[in-house]
Amino acid sequence: MNGIHLLLLITTAMASCDNVSGQILTSQLIQSAVGAQPNENVIVSPISIETCLALAYLGAEGQTAEELAISLALKHAGDKQSVAQKFGRLFEKTKSVGSATFRLANRIYLDQRFQISTKYNELALNQMHANAETVRFADAAATAATINSWVEAETDNKIRGLIAGNSLDGNTALVLVNALYFKAKWLHQFSNHSTTKRDFHVSAERKLEVDMMKQTDTFLYGNFKELDATAVELSYLDTDVSMLVLLPKSVDGLAALETKLKSVDLTKLSAAMRTEEVNIHLPKFKFEFDLALKPVLAQLGVTTMFSDKADFSSMLAEKEKVSVSQAQHKAFIEVNESGTEAAAATYLKIVPLSATFAQQTYQFVADHPFVFAIKDNKNVYFVGHVTHL
Ligand SMILES: *[C@@H]1O[C@H](CO)[C@@H](O)[C@H](O)[C@H]1NC(C)=O
Ligand SMILES: *[C@@H]1O[C@H](CO)[C@@H](O)[C@H](O)[C@H]1NC(C)=O
Protein backbone atom coordinates (compact mmCIF):
# COMPACT_ATOMS: atom_id res chain seq x y z
CA MET A 1 0.00 0.00 0.00
CA ASN A 2 3.01 2.25 -0.25
CA GLY A 3 2.21 5.60 -1.74
CA ILE A 4 -1.50 5.30 -1.23
CA HIS A 5 -2.88 8.31 0.46
CA LEU A 6 -6.25 8.07 2.09
CA LEU A 7 -8.11 10.42 4.27
CA LEU A 8 -9.87 8.52 6.98
CA LEU A 9 -11.38 9.84 10.06
CA ILE A 10 -12.74 7.98 12.94
CA THR A 11 -15.32 10.23 14.36
CA THR A 12 -17.44 9.71 17.34
CA ALA A 13 -20.86 10.93 18.09
CA MET A 14 -19.88 11.46 21.74
CA ALA A 15 -23.52 11.29 22.58
CA SER A 16 -22.88 11.22 26.29
CA CYS A 17 -19.73 13.31 26.31
CA ASP A 18 -18.91 16.88 25.61
CA ASN A 19 -17.27 17.43 22.31
CA VAL A 20 -13.70 17.89 23.46
CA SER A 21 -12.36 17.25 20.02
CA GLY A 22 -11.24 20.77 19.27
CA GLN A 23 -11.95 21.36 15.65
CA ILE A 24 -9.06 23.81 15.54
CA LEU A 25 -6.52 21.20 16.49
CA THR A 26 -8.03 18.51 14.29
CA SER A 27 -7.90 20.62 11.16
CA GLN A 28 -4.41 21.86 11.95
CA LEU A 29 -3.35 18.25 12.42
CA ILE A 30 -4.69 17.31 9.04
CA GLN A 31 -2.87 20.23 7.44
CA SER A 32 0.39 19.69 9.25
CA ALA A 33 0.56 15.94 9.04
CA VAL A 34 -0.34 15.99 5.42
CA GLY A 35 1.82 18.99 4.58
CA ALA A 36 4.85 17.37 6.13
CA GLN A 37 4.55 14.21 4.07
CA PRO A 38 2.28 14.86 1.12
CA ASN A 39 2.66 11.40 -0.39
CA GLU A 40 2.51 9.36 2.78
CA ASN A 41 -0.40 7.67 4.43
CA VAL A 42 -1.35 9.62 7.49
CA ILE A 43 -3.08 8.69 10.72
CA VAL A 44 -3.13 10.80 13.85
CA SER A 45 -5.39 10.84 16.89
CA PRO A 46 -6.59 14.32 17.82
CA ILE A 47 -8.09 13.03 21.05
CA SER A 48 -4.85 11.44 22.17
CA ILE A 49 -2.95 14.65 21.51
CA GLU A 50 -5.60 16.81 23.14
CA THR A 51 -5.74 14.65 26.23
CA CYS A 52 -1.99 14.84 26.62
CA LEU A 53 -2.07 18.62 26.16
CA ALA A 54 -4.90 18.86 28.68
CA LEU A 55 -2.73 17.05 31.19
CA ALA A 56 -0.07 19.70 30.64
CA TYR A 57 -2.68 22.46 30.81
CA LEU A 58 -3.73 21.39 34.31
CA GLY A 59 -0.25 22.24 35.55
CA ALA A 60 0.19 25.39 33.45
CA GLU A 61 -0.28 29.05 34.33
CA GLY A 62 -0.16 32.41 32.57
CA GLN A 63 0.60 32.61 28.86
CA THR A 64 1.50 28.91 28.74
CA ALA A 65 -1.98 28.00 29.98
CA GLU A 66 -3.66 30.56 27.75
CA GLU A 67 -2.11 29.22 24.55
CA LEU A 68 -2.99 25.65 25.48
CA ALA A 69 -6.54 26.72 26.27
CA ILE A 70 -6.94 28.31 22.85
CA SER A 71 -5.55 25.29 21.01
CA LEU A 72 -7.85 23.03 23.01
CA ALA A 73 -10.83 25.36 22.52
CA LEU A 74 -11.19 25.64 26.29
CA LYS A 75 -12.14 29.31 26.30
CA HIS A 76 -15.50 28.71 27.87
CA ALA A 77 -14.63 25.54 29.71
CA GLY A 78 -14.28 27.21 33.09
CA ASP A 79 -11.64 26.53 35.70
CA LYS A 80 -9.12 23.69 35.72
CA GLN A 81 -11.44 21.49 37.71
CA SER A 82 -14.08 21.72 34.96
CA VAL A 83 -11.49 21.15 32.24
CA ALA A 84 -10.24 18.06 34.04
CA GLN A 85 -13.83 16.85 34.40
CA LYS A 86 -14.51 17.48 30.73
CA PHE A 87 -11.56 15.33 29.68
CA GLY A 88 -12.32 12.86 32.45
CA ARG A 89 -15.71 12.27 30.86
CA LEU A 90 -13.94 10.70 27.88
CA PHE A 91 -13.33 7.74 30.16
CA GLU A 92 -17.05 7.01 29.97
CA LYS A 93 -16.26 5.73 26.49
CA THR A 94 -13.54 3.48 27.82
CA LYS A 95 -15.08 0.05 27.79
CA SER A 96 -15.33 -3.27 26.05
CA VAL A 97 -18.79 -4.18 24.86
CA GLY A 98 -19.22 -7.25 22.71
CA SER A 99 -16.55 -7.07 20.03
CA ALA A 100 -15.83 -3.36 20.51
CA THR A 101 -13.06 -2.06 22.71
CA PHE A 102 -12.30 1.57 23.41
CA ARG A 103 -9.48 2.24 25.83
CA LEU A 104 -8.02 5.55 26.91
CA ALA A 105 -5.24 5.83 29.45
CA ASN A 106 -3.07 8.58 30.87
CA ARG A 107 0.05 8.38 32.96
CA ILE A 108 2.60 10.69 34.47
CA TYR A 109 6.18 9.50 34.79
CA LEU A 110 8.02 11.59 37.32
CA ASP A 111 11.69 11.64 38.17
CA GLN A 112 12.53 10.64 41.73
CA ARG A 113 14.04 14.11 42.34
CA PHE A 114 10.59 15.64 42.09
CA GLN A 115 7.10 15.45 43.50
CA ILE A 116 3.99 16.69 41.79
CA SER A 117 1.91 19.24 43.62
CA THR A 118 -1.06 18.03 45.60
CA LYS A 119 -3.48 20.08 43.55
CA TYR A 120 -2.10 18.86 40.22
CA ASN A 121 -2.15 15.29 41.46
CA GLU A 122 -5.80 15.62 42.47
CA LEU A 123 -6.87 16.96 39.09
CA ALA A 124 -4.79 14.54 37.07
CA LEU A 125 -5.55 11.46 39.11
CA ASN A 126 -9.16 11.95 40.16
CA GLN A 127 -10.47 13.30 36.89
CA MET A 128 -8.12 12.04 34.21
CA HIS A 129 -7.03 8.79 35.84
CA ALA A 130 -3.39 9.78 35.38
CA ASN A 131 -1.37 7.93 37.97
CA ALA A 132 2.00 9.45 38.77
CA GLU A 133 4.71 6.83 38.74
CA THR A 134 8.17 7.64 40.07
CA VAL A 135 11.06 6.59 37.86
CA ARG A 136 14.77 7.29 37.47
CA PHE A 137 15.24 9.03 34.14
CA ALA A 138 19.00 8.72 34.57
CA ASP A 139 18.40 5.03 33.78
CA ALA A 140 17.23 6.18 30.37
CA ALA A 141 16.99 2.85 28.59
CA ALA A 142 15.21 1.10 31.46
CA THR A 143 12.78 3.99 31.92
CA ALA A 144 12.01 4.18 28.21
CA ALA A 145 11.33 0.44 28.34
CA THR A 146 9.00 0.93 31.32
CA ILE A 147 7.03 3.65 29.53
CA ASN A 148 6.98 1.75 26.24
CA SER A 149 5.69 -1.43 27.91
CA TRP A 150 2.89 0.50 29.49
CA VAL A 151 1.94 1.97 26.10
CA GLU A 152 2.22 -1.45 24.46
CA ALA A 153 -0.06 -3.01 27.07
CA GLU A 154 -2.60 -0.19 26.68
CA THR A 155 -2.58 -0.42 22.87
CA ASP A 156 -2.53 -4.19 22.53
CA ASN A 157 1.04 -3.96 21.19
CA LYS A 158 0.03 -1.73 18.31
CA ILE A 159 2.16 1.22 19.44
CA ARG A 160 5.62 -0.07 20.14
CA GLY A 161 8.78 1.82 21.00
CA LEU A 162 7.08 5.18 21.49
CA ILE A 163 10.05 6.67 23.30
CA ALA A 164 13.60 6.01 22.17
CA GLY A 165 15.99 5.31 25.05
CA ASN A 166 18.23 8.13 23.88
CA SER A 167 15.49 10.73 24.08
CA LEU A 168 15.48 10.46 27.88
CA ASP A 169 18.28 11.40 30.24
CA GLY A 170 18.95 12.25 33.88
CA ASN A 171 17.79 15.77 33.21
CA THR A 172 14.21 14.74 32.36
CA ALA A 173 11.73 15.82 35.03
CA LEU A 174 8.46 14.36 33.79
CA VAL A 175 6.92 12.57 30.84
CA LEU A 176 3.17 12.89 30.33
CA VAL A 177 1.72 10.06 28.27
CA ASN A 178 -1.62 9.27 26.70
CA ALA A 179 -2.51 6.02 24.99
CA LEU A 180 -5.63 5.25 23.02
CA TYR A 181 -6.82 1.95 21.60
CA PHE A 182 -9.83 1.14 19.49
CA LYS A 183 -10.97 -2.12 18.00
CA ALA A 184 -14.36 -2.93 16.56
CA LYS A 185 -16.08 -5.03 13.96
CA TRP A 186 -18.12 -3.41 11.22
CA LEU A 187 -21.84 -3.42 11.74
CA HIS A 188 -21.97 -4.57 8.11
CA GLN A 189 -18.88 -6.68 7.54
CA PHE A 190 -17.31 -7.10 4.13
CA SER A 191 -17.25 -10.68 3.00
CA ASN A 192 -13.75 -12.06 2.57
CA HIS A 193 -14.45 -13.62 -0.80
CA SER A 194 -15.70 -10.34 -2.28
CA THR A 195 -12.26 -8.81 -1.90
CA THR A 196 -10.45 -8.66 -5.23
CA LYS A 197 -7.42 -7.01 -6.77
CA ARG A 198 -8.42 -3.63 -8.15
CA ASP A 199 -6.68 -0.49 -9.30
CA PHE A 200 -6.10 2.32 -6.85
CA HIS A 201 -5.29 5.61 -8.57
CA VAL A 202 -2.49 7.27 -6.68
CA SER A 203 -2.72 10.15 -9.15
CA ALA A 204 -4.17 10.74 -12.59
CA GLU A 205 -1.07 9.06 -14.05
CA ARG A 206 -0.15 6.42 -11.53
CA LYS A 207 -2.09 3.44 -10.23
CA LEU A 208 -1.46 0.51 -7.92
CA GLU A 209 -3.13 -2.86 -7.61
CA VAL A 210 -4.66 -3.28 -4.16
CA ASP A 211 -6.97 -5.59 -2.21
CA MET A 212 -10.29 -3.88 -2.65
CA MET A 213 -13.13 -4.84 -0.32
CA LYS A 214 -16.67 -4.59 -1.62
CA GLN A 215 -20.20 -4.63 -0.32
CA THR A 216 -23.61 -3.15 -0.97
CA ASP A 217 -25.76 -2.20 1.98
CA THR A 218 -27.42 0.77 3.60
CA PHE A 219 -25.05 3.41 4.93
CA LEU A 220 -25.11 7.10 5.72
CA TYR A 221 -24.16 8.74 2.45
CA GLY A 222 -23.53 12.37 1.60
CA ASN A 223 -22.76 14.33 -1.52
CA PHE A 224 -20.94 17.48 -0.41
CA LYS A 225 -20.89 19.81 -3.39
CA GLU A 226 -18.99 22.53 -1.53
CA LEU A 227 -16.27 20.01 -0.67
CA ASP A 228 -16.34 18.46 -4.14
CA ALA A 229 -16.49 15.12 -2.36
CA THR A 230 -18.82 12.30 -1.40
CA ALA A 231 -18.84 10.56 1.94
CA VAL A 232 -19.96 7.36 3.59
CA GLU A 233 -20.11 6.54 7.23
CA LEU A 234 -19.43 2.96 8.24
CA SER A 235 -20.80 1.99 11.63
CA TYR A 236 -19.18 -0.42 14.02
CA LEU A 237 -20.88 -3.06 16.11
CA ASP A 238 -21.45 -2.40 19.84
CA THR A 239 -20.24 1.22 19.80
CA ASP A 240 -21.38 4.64 18.64
CA VAL A 241 -17.97 5.23 17.08
CA SER A 242 -18.02 5.10 13.30
CA MET A 243 -15.70 5.68 10.38
CA LEU A 244 -16.33 8.54 8.00
CA VAL A 245 -14.66 8.20 4.63
CA LEU A 246 -14.47 11.34 2.50
CA LEU A 247 -13.67 10.79 -1.15
CA PRO A 248 -12.75 13.67 -3.46
CA LYS A 249 -14.68 13.55 -6.73
CA SER A 250 -11.51 13.88 -8.76
CA VAL A 251 -8.52 11.56 -8.55
CA ASP A 252 -6.24 14.50 -7.76
CA GLY A 253 -8.65 16.21 -5.40
CA LEU A 254 -7.21 15.29 -2.01
CA ALA A 255 -5.15 18.40 -1.37
CA ALA A 256 -8.04 20.70 -2.28
CA LEU A 257 -10.37 18.70 -0.04
CA GLU A 258 -8.01 18.87 2.90
CA THR A 259 -7.72 22.62 2.50
CA LYS A 260 -11.50 22.95 2.58
CA LEU A 261 -11.72 20.69 5.61
CA LYS A 262 -9.82 23.32 7.57
CA SER A 263 -13.10 25.03 8.27
CA VAL A 264 -15.25 21.93 8.68
CA ASP A 265 -16.19 20.24 11.92
CA LEU A 266 -15.95 16.57 10.97
CA THR A 267 -18.11 15.49 13.88
CA LYS A 268 -20.97 17.48 12.38
CA LEU A 269 -20.87 16.17 8.80
CA SER A 270 -23.03 13.09 9.45
CA ALA A 271 -25.98 15.32 10.23
CA ALA A 272 -25.98 16.34 6.56
CA MET A 273 -25.90 12.71 5.34
CA ARG A 274 -28.80 10.38 4.56
CA THR A 275 -29.29 6.65 4.80
CA GLU A 276 -28.96 5.22 1.29
CA GLU A 277 -28.03 1.99 -0.32
CA VAL A 278 -24.40 2.25 -1.20
CA ASN A 279 -22.04 0.02 -3.14
CA ILE A 280 -18.80 0.55 -1.27
CA HIS A 281 -15.34 -0.23 -2.56
CA LEU A 282 -12.75 0.34 0.12
CA PRO A 283 -9.16 -0.94 0.08
CA LYS A 284 -7.80 -2.94 2.98
CA PHE A 285 -4.96 -1.10 4.62
CA LYS A 286 -2.58 -1.11 7.54
CA PHE A 287 0.10 1.44 8.44
CA GLU A 288 1.56 3.58 11.17
CA PHE A 289 2.56 7.21 11.31
CA ASP A 290 4.84 9.31 13.48
CA LEU A 291 4.41 13.00 14.02
CA ALA A 292 6.56 15.52 15.87
CA LEU A 293 4.05 17.87 17.46
CA LYS A 294 6.15 20.95 18.09
CA PRO A 295 5.69 22.41 14.58
CA VAL A 296 1.98 21.53 14.58
CA LEU A 297 1.47 23.26 17.90
CA ALA A 298 3.52 26.26 16.81
CA GLN A 299 1.05 26.72 13.94
CA LEU A 300 -1.67 26.95 16.57
CA GLY A 301 0.25 29.51 18.59
CA VAL A 302 1.36 27.07 21.28
CA THR A 303 4.98 28.16 21.64
CA THR A 304 5.48 29.42 25.18
CA MET A 305 5.47 25.99 26.78
CA PHE A 306 8.52 25.11 24.68
CA SER A 307 10.37 28.32 25.61
CA ASP A 308 12.22 29.74 28.61
CA LYS A 309 8.99 31.61 29.42
CA ALA A 310 7.15 28.35 30.07
CA ASP A 311 5.08 28.38 33.23
CA PHE A 312 4.14 25.03 34.74
CA SER A 313 4.31 26.42 38.24
CA SER A 314 1.29 24.46 39.47
CA MET A 315 2.60 21.09 38.31
CA LEU A 316 5.45 20.32 40.68
CA ALA A 317 5.66 20.60 44.45
CA GLU A 318 9.15 22.06 44.01
CA LYS A 319 9.82 25.59 42.79
CA GLU A 320 11.79 24.22 39.82
CA LYS A 321 10.91 25.92 36.52
CA VAL A 322 10.23 23.45 33.73
CA SER A 323 9.36 23.53 30.05
CA VAL A 324 8.33 21.03 27.39
CA SER A 325 11.32 19.89 25.36
CA GLN A 326 9.65 17.26 23.20
CA ALA A 327 6.15 16.42 22.00
CA GLN A 328 5.66 13.30 19.93
CA HIS A 329 2.77 11.34 18.53
CA LYS A 330 2.46 7.92 16.94
CA ALA A 331 -0.56 6.16 15.54
CA PHE A 332 -1.51 2.89 13.88
CA ILE A 333 -4.48 1.64 11.90
CA GLU A 334 -5.64 -1.57 10.28
CA VAL A 335 -8.81 -1.75 8.24
CA ASN A 336 -10.05 -5.01 6.74
CA GLU A 337 -13.18 -7.02 6.02
CA SER A 338 -13.95 -7.62 9.68
CA GLY A 339 -13.42 -4.15 11.07
CA THR A 340 -10.83 -1.74 12.35
CA GLU A 341 -8.06 -1.69 14.88
CA ALA A 342 -6.45 1.65 15.63
CA ALA A 343 -4.14 2.90 18.32
CA ALA A 344 -2.24 6.03 19.20
CA ALA A 345 0.03 7.42 21.83
CA THR A 346 1.30 10.89 22.62
CA TYR A 347 3.93 12.09 25.01
CA LEU A 348 5.28 15.38 26.29
CA LYS A 349 8.74 15.41 27.79
CA ILE A 350 9.25 18.06 30.45
CA VAL A 351 12.67 19.23 31.63
CA PRO A 352 14.00 21.84 34.06
CA LEU A 353 14.45 25.22 32.42
CA SER A 354 17.85 25.80 33.91
CA ALA A 355 19.16 22.94 31.85
CA THR A 356 17.48 23.85 28.59
CA PHE A 357 18.11 27.54 28.38
CA ALA A 358 21.40 28.93 29.60
CA GLN A 359 21.12 32.53 30.72
CA GLN A 360 24.19 33.34 28.67
CA THR A 361 26.07 31.52 25.95
CA TYR A 362 29.81 31.36 26.34
CA GLN A 363 32.03 30.93 23.33
CA PHE A 364 34.75 28.34 23.22
CA VAL A 365 36.47 28.34 19.87
CA ALA A 366 39.58 26.15 19.89
CA ASP A 367 41.19 27.77 16.88
CA HIS A 368 44.66 28.20 18.35
CA PRO A 369 46.99 26.00 20.42
CA PHE A 370 45.41 24.39 23.51
CA VAL A 371 46.02 21.86 26.26
CA PHE A 372 43.99 18.77 26.84
CA ALA A 373 43.69 16.17 29.56
CA ILE A 374 41.90 12.85 29.65
CA LYS A 375 41.01 12.33 33.27
CA ASP A 376 38.49 11.34 35.90
CA ASN A 377 38.08 12.76 39.35
CA LYS A 378 41.07 10.79 40.61
CA ASN A 379 43.58 10.52 37.80
CA VAL A 380 44.74 12.21 34.68
CA TYR A 381 45.13 9.42 32.12
CA PHE A 382 46.46 11.51 29.29
CA VAL A 383 47.52 15.09 29.01
CA GLY A 384 48.94 17.02 26.09
CA HIS A 385 48.67 20.03 23.94
CA VAL A 386 47.91 20.80 20.35
CA THR A 387 49.97 23.43 18.56
CA HIS A 388 49.32 22.61 14.92
CA LEU A 389 47.22 20.24 12.85
C1 LIG B 1 -12.64 -13.51 7.11
O1 LIG B 1 -11.36 -14.04 7.39
C2 LIG B 1 -10.92 -13.81 8.72
C3 LIG B 1 -9.48 -14.27 8.88
O2 LIG B 1 -9.05 -15.00 7.78
C4 LIG B 1 -11.85 -14.51 9.70
O3 LIG B 1 -11.43 -14.25 11.03
C5 LIG B 1 -13.24 -13.98 9.51
O4 LIG B 1 -14.16 -14.66 10.32
C6 LIG B 1 -13.67 -14.11 8.05
N1 LIG B 1 -14.94 -13.43 7.88
C7 LIG B 1 -16.02 -14.03 7.43
C8 LIG B 1 -17.23 -13.17 7.37
O5 LIG B 1 -16.05 -15.18 7.09
C1 LIG C 1 -8.68 -8.00 10.37
O1 LIG C 1 -7.89 -7.33 11.34
C2 LIG C 1 -7.99 -7.90 12.63
C3 LIG C 1 -7.21 -6.99 13.53
O2 LIG C 1 -7.86 -5.78 13.62
C4 LIG C 1 -7.48 -9.30 12.62
O3 LIG C 1 -7.60 -9.85 13.89
C5 LIG C 1 -8.27 -10.10 11.60
O4 LIG C 1 -7.75 -11.38 11.47
C6 LIG C 1 -8.23 -9.43 10.25
N1 LIG C 1 -9.14 -10.11 9.33
C7 LIG C 1 -8.83 -10.32 8.04
C8 LIG C 1 -9.87 -10.91 7.22
O5 LIG C 1 -7.75 -10.01 7.58
Side-chain angles (χ1 to χ4, degrees), residues 96-113:
S96 280
V97 180
S99 58
T101 301
F102 188 100
R103 197 155 58 219
L104 181 74
N106 295 322
R107 193 152 257 220
I108 298 169
Y109 290 91
L110 177 73
D111 193 76
Q112 56 176 13
R113 289 169 297 162

Side-chain angles (χ1 to χ4, degrees), residues 189-192 338:
Q189 292 195 16
F190 293 84
S191 94
N192 293 339
S338 323

Side-chain angles (χ1 to χ4, degrees), residues 183 192 284 334 336-338 340-341:
K183 185 174 185 179
N192 293 339
K284 293 173 71 157
E334 175 172 10
N336 65 24
E337 290 86 351
S338 323
T340 301
E341 188 169 23

Side-chain angles (χ1 to χ4, degrees), residues 10 92-104 153-156 180-185 236-241 340-343:
I10 298 176
E92 289 167 15
K93 279 204 99 66
T94 296
K95 57 190 158 210
S96 280
V97 180
S99 58
T101 301
F102 188 100
R103 197 155 58 219
L104 181 74
E154 291 296 336
T155 61
D156 211 15
L180 178 62
Y181 176 76
F182 173 75
K183 185 174 185 179
K185 286 190 164 39
Y236 295 105
L237 202 59
D238 302 320
T239 170
D240 62 351
V241 176
T340 301
E341 188 169 23

